[in-house]
Amino acid sequence: MSKSNEPIWWSLFAAGGVVSAFFVPILIIIIGIVLPFGLVGDEPFVYERIHGAVSHPVTKLLLFFLIVLTFFIWAHRFRYTLVHMGLHKARSVISVFCYGSAIVGTILTAIILWQI
Amino acid sequence: MGGKEEMKPYRRPVPNTWWLMRRSYFLFIVRELASVFVAAYSVFLLLVIYKLGQGPEAYEGMIELLRSPALIVFHLVVLAFAVYHSITWFNLTPKILVLFVGEVRVPPLLIAGAHYFAWLVLSALVAWVILRA
């Protein structure tokens, strides 16, 4: 059997699946519902507080892993979905496109988090 | 392995609409495509972080945008897919994580249940950290 790089993608996919399952819904609820409807007032969301929290190195690291891992779970699942839907012949192009996009996303995430 | 004369096993052709033929197939595709919404939300999150880095005015503008009906609808849609992702993921965990205590297999329901419990605790923790002020 030839060597496969599948285990790398699968590990990133599995890690992404767990991390996003735990943390994405609550973040959406806080940013998209609690904040706009003012359910806890505006105080927690004042600029100084959020900026201070997000620019802390630990927060940056956590956000980096959360964001980047969701890109890899997307890459893995989208790749197989396209192939399952009949694009067998383009499977290597699809792999390059999906994992390539995730890698570009990772670099962008690092740059944006670095600059804040 | 394999010259040009290698015999290929017969593959029954499958129409590309196979996923519309059964409810379980359709839900499988919904589960897989939920990852598109979750990743798209990460891109949005990056935009929010970018605006935050641009200073107080850009940040306030972002908050205004978050209050618009379009973005509230966007969040509700993404939330539905994200929750579906979480539920299907936790329901799968007992199939991947097969644990034994001595000779006895830990019941699958307990493993899934532990994940649901952790989900609740972690969500409460995140909410507390962000919202206490």
Side-chain angles (χ1 to χ4, degrees):
Chain A
M1 230 179 104
S2 62
K3 264 195 178 176
S4 160
N5 53 12
E6 188 67 15
I8 301 171
W9 307 125
W10 200 87
S11 318
L12 287 169
F13 155 74
V18 180
V19 171
S20 56
F22 279 135
F23 296 108
V24 172
I26 187 65
L27 283 179
I28 298 176
I29 290 172
I30 291 171
I31 297 169
I33 296 165
V34 174
L35 186 158
F37 287 102
L39 299 181
V40 291
D42 291 338
E43 246 171 88
F45 303 107
V46 291
Y47 173 77
E48 287 75 15
R49 179 171 185 268
I50 297 295
H51 188 267
V54 173
S55 54
H56 191 282
V58 174
T59 319
K60 282 188 186 187
L61 203 65
L62 292 175
L63 282 170
F64 177 77
F65 280 115
L66 176 70
I67 291 172
V68 162
L69 286 174
T70 65
F71 292 155
F72 281 95
I73 187 180
W74 164 81
H76 198 77
R77 286 195 152 166
F78 198 61
R79 165 196 173 189
Y80 281 111
T81 304
L82 291 182
V83 173
H84 289 155
M85 282 184 159
L87 296 169
H88 301 278
K89 285 183 183 140
R91 56 192 319 156
S92 43
V93 178
I94 289 170
S95 294
V96 171
F97 165 73
C98 288
Y99 296 125
S101 306
I103 291 168
V104 170
T106 302
I107 296 167
L108 273 178
T109 307
I111 293 173
I112 290 176
L113 282 170
W114 190 264
Q115 285 179 338
I116 197 168
Chain B
M1 284 268 294
K4 273 181 183 166
E5 293 85 37
E6 188 188 349
M7 294 230 295
K8 279 187 186 164
Y10 172 70
R11 276 196 172 183
R12 197 163 63 92
V14 179
N16 287 341
T17 49
W18 59 269
W19 52 282
L20 290 172
M21 291 171 181
R22 269 195 209 173
R23 194 179 131 83
S24 57
Y25 297 167
F26 179 72
L27 288 179
F28 165 74
I29 288 296
V30 172
R31 187 193 84 188
E32 298 297 281
L33 290 182
S35 66
V36 175
F37 289 85
V38 171
Y41 194 71
S42 283
V43 174
F44 177 75
L45 213 55
L46 273 180
L47 179 73
V48 176
I49 295 169
Y50 175 74
K51 290 279 176 192
L52 182 65
Q54 299 271 297
E57 269 174 43
Y59 177 72
E60 290 303 327
M62 195 67 225
I63 299 271
E64 272 316 299
L65 202 66
L66 281 169
R67 294 202 167 101
S68 68
L71 271 194
I72 289 171
V73 171
F74 167 72
H75 276 87
L76 290 175
V77 172
V78 180
L79 178 63
F81 280 101
V83 168
Y84 190 67
H85 166 73
S86 301
I87 291 171
T88 51
W89 190 271
F90 295 139
N91 290 347
L92 270 179
T93 49
K95 296 192 174 71
I96 300 164
L97 207 62
V98 179
L99 294 179
F100 284 88
V101 176
E103 298 277 293
V104 187
R105 184 179 169 184
V106 178
L109 256 178
L110 191 66
I111 293 178
H115 278 86
Y116 278 104
F117 182 69
W119 187 21
L120 199 73
V121 171
L122 289 171
S123 298
L125 187 72
V126 170
W128 180 74
V129 168
I130 298 180
L131 300 177
R132 85 202 140 109

